[in-house]
Amino acid sequence: MKVPLLDLKPQYLSLKKELDEALLKVAESQYFILGPEVDAMEKEMREFLGAKFAYGVSSGTDALLLSLMALGIGEGDEVLLPTFSFFATAGVVSRLNAIPVFIDSDPVTFNIDAAKAKEKITAKTKAIIPVHLYGQSADMDAVMKLANEHNLFVVEDGAQAISTRYSNGRCVGTIGHIGCYSFFPSKNLGCFGDGGLVVTNDEEIAYRLKITRVHGGDPKYYHKVIGGNFRIDAIQAAILRVKLPHLNSWSAKRRVNAALYNSFFVASGLAEGTGKTEFNNANKVLLPAAVFEKLQADIPNYHIYNQYIIRVEKRDALREYLAKKEIATEIYYPVAFHNQECFKDVPSAKDSYPVSDALSATVIALPIFPELTEEQIKFVVDMIAEFFMS
Ligand SMILES: *Cc1c(COP(=O)(O)O)cnc(C)c1O
């Protein structure tokens, strides 16, 4: 049985008429960049996310870059961020000649360990970027407390977490100073190309985001600050407006799929607890934290499973075995920032990161997209069980 990691076709087919009409409407309007579709999308996003201001941008990466620019982060400023994340989280910091300061991960949520972030604060620290990895909120109480104590800006990287809720019921991205999202097609809410969004509740920051998105001009051709072209296309906004009303049901379906995986793993006897950095038994699978939700009452957030991640000691051999069974998997991410060639001169790269190193060596993403069938999920778990018996 073939199980792809992600299949976007069924979602498209389920909304084909509306999506095709949205595309045609933009073609007929010949209004391609920003404009009425983007305004309407931003309004719907503000309402959906519970944010005062929202601006559509060119990608999730640009959302992060624009945010740091709008906050005036630049040469020599230090920015705390998890060493275990997608490249963009750290890349944008270095592109502004600021200094990424890598932080080890929490072994349960795989997100930034705020206690370890605290140890690395200096007089130059200006901001912290918590990432809500795989669709699960970082510990925002701890992050906000640290930020308040040390007067840091908080830029949330919610690229994998649009509609994820934190324990206080708020959407992640609306808790810090700025929230960033990505509409890359493989995210929970994807458009037909690149796209992103920034949100804030602060009027002054909102103004800076808004003008920096259009080369810093206000009015046009009168440049207050040096910005860039961070605009989103009308076509992407039109697609997002069709899809947004379905996002909650897609995320709910991902959660159902995650629960199915969890129960099949538990039934198979393969499941071991979570939050370990060392395996007691190389033939066991560490499940995502949420399976032990009841035991982990301190992590009561709404995980939207952009990825369903298990940890396996013999990860690479398992991956090969599954590939032979036509089950696609992926490694998010095989190399943490402190081990990346391009960051070898970053001072914090020489520090030790035992949790992130363990994660890079053992995580594996299984297919989790909403349209996956129970039969496919059962097959994946059966094949993993077969691998451990072979
Ligand atoms: C996808 C992603 C980004 C970048 O988004 P793009 O739209 O691909 O530029 C940034 N951070 C994280 C954690 C991501 O997963």
Side-chain angles (χ1 to χ4, degrees):
M1 189 187 314
K2 207 171 179 141
V3 190
L5 188 64
L6 173 64
D7 183 0
L8 292 169
K9 204 68 180 275
Q11 187 192 81
Y12 170 60
L13 293 177
S14 75
L15 295 171
K16 185 174 173 0
K17 191 164 167 289
E18 286 170 82
L19 289 167
D20 291 355
E21 277 169 13
L23 288 174
L24 274 178
K25 196 171 134 202
V26 174
E28 276 157 20
S29 80
Q30 290 291 297
Y31 205 134
F32 294 120
I33 295 170
L34 300 180
E37 281 295 331
V38 172
D39 290 343
M41 180 275 285
E42 289 171 348
K43 177 171 179 285
E44 287 158 16
M45 289 291 176
R46 289 196 298 271
E47 284 162 7
F48 179 84
L49 296 165
K52 273 196 196 144
F53 305 93
Y55 301 106
V57 296
S58 29
S59 70
T61 304
D62 282 349
L64 290 164
L65 183 64
L66 168 66
S67 299
L68 297 181
M69 286 172 77
L71 295 173
I73 304 292
E75 179 129 27
D77 292 338
E78 293 179 1
V79 180
L80 307 165
L81 51 91
T83 189
F84 186 69
S85 177
F86 176 64
F87 179 76
T89 312
V92 294
V93 175
S94 295
R95 284 167 68 186
L96 293 172
N97 296 318
I99 303 164
V101 177
F102 306 136
I103 308 295
D104 207 4
S105 315
D106 172 86
V108 176
T109 64
F110 309 163
N111 283 318
I112 193 166
D113 183 329
K116 288 181 185 157
K118 191 182 171 88
E119 293 166 13
K120 293 199 177 180
I121 289 181
T122 73
K124 290 185 189 162
T125 311
K126 292 282 154 57
I128 180 166
I129 309 181
V131 180
H132 307 297
L133 202 63
Y134 309 140
Q136 172 157 260
S137 179
D139 183 350
M140 287 307 291
D141 283 345
V143 168
M144 295 311 291
K145 184 166 176 282
L146 188 68
N148 289 335
E149 281 169 8
H150 298 273
N151 209 13
L152 309 178
F153 286 118
V154 178
V155 177
E156 293 179 71
D157 183 343
Q160 300 180 7
I162 189 161
S163 80
T164 293
R165 284 174 189 275
Y166 186 52
S167 55
N168 59 10
R170 284 169 68 177
C171 280
V172 302
T174 68
I175 301 167
H177 295 89
I178 304 180
C180 300
Y181 307 97
S182 164
F183 301 129
F184 185 79
S186 70
K187 312 289 176 164
N188 284 32
L189 179 62
C191 60
F192 281 9
D194 277 310
L197 190 81
V198 288
V199 299
T200 184
N201 289 315
D202 181 304
E203 195 168 353
E204 202 180 311
I205 292 173
Y207 174 72
R208 299 264 287 278
L209 288 168
K210 194 178 171 185
I211 65 167
T212 309
R213 177 174 67 166
V214 288
H215 300 289
D218 181 34
K220 216 173 172 180
Y221 309 127
Y222 292 79
H223 299 271
K224 285 210 162 64
V225 294
I226 297 173
N229 170 3
F230 297 117
R231 300 174 305 229
I232 191 170
D233 294 345
I235 281 184
Q236 306 310 344
I239 294 299
L240 291 167
R241 294 186 65 202
V242 173
K243 288 190 174 191
L244 181 61
H246 303 276
L247 176 57
N248 282 335
S249 70
W250 292 331
S251 296
K253 192 71 204 326
R254 285 172 183 267
R255 285 172 60 87
V256 167
N257 290 348
L260 284 172
Y261 269 121
N262 292 339
S263 63
F264 291 141
F265 275 122
V266 170
S268 73
L270 287 171
E272 196 170 53
T274 185
K276 301 186 179 175
T277 45
E278 276 166 46
F279 287 78
N280 298 328
N281 183 337
N283 291 320
K284 292 271 185 179
V285 169
L286 301 189
L287 299 184
V291 72
F292 300 104
E293 229 157 37
K294 288 184 205 91
L295 303 178
Q296 305 273 356
D298 53 328
I299 322 166
N301 52 44
Y302 191 81
H303 190 333
I304 62 163
Y305 291 97
N306 178 243
Q307 301 299 341
Y308 179 88
I309 303 290
I310 60 168
R311 293 183 54 200
V312 179
E313 197 175 68
K314 300 179 218 163
R315 191 256 320 266
D316 297 332
L318 171 63
R319 213 177 159 216
E320 250 172 67
Y321 191 85
L322 293 178
K324 279 193 210 119
K325 306 286 176 184
E326 296 192 301
I327 296 170
T329 59
E330 189 51 270
I331 312 300
Y332 304 113
Y333 298 93
V335 183
F337 298 151
H338 62 277
N339 288 322
Q340 293 287 358
E341 189 180 339
C342 69
F343 293 134
K344 66 181 187 308
D345 297 327
V346 169
S348 61
K350 63 179 187 335
D351 298 345
S352 75
Y353 300 91
V355 177
S356 296
D357 286 342
L359 294 177
S360 313
T362 57
V363 290
I364 177 168
L366 303 180
I368 188 71
F369 62 94
E371 295 82 3
L372 209 62
T373 65
E374 179 168 343
E375 200 189 357
Q376 286 174 308
I377 293 168
K378 178 83 169 53
F379 178 67
V380 174
V381 177
D382 286 348
M383 290 306 105
I384 293 173
E386 197 181 276
F387 165 80
F388 281 115
M389 286 182 306
S390 66

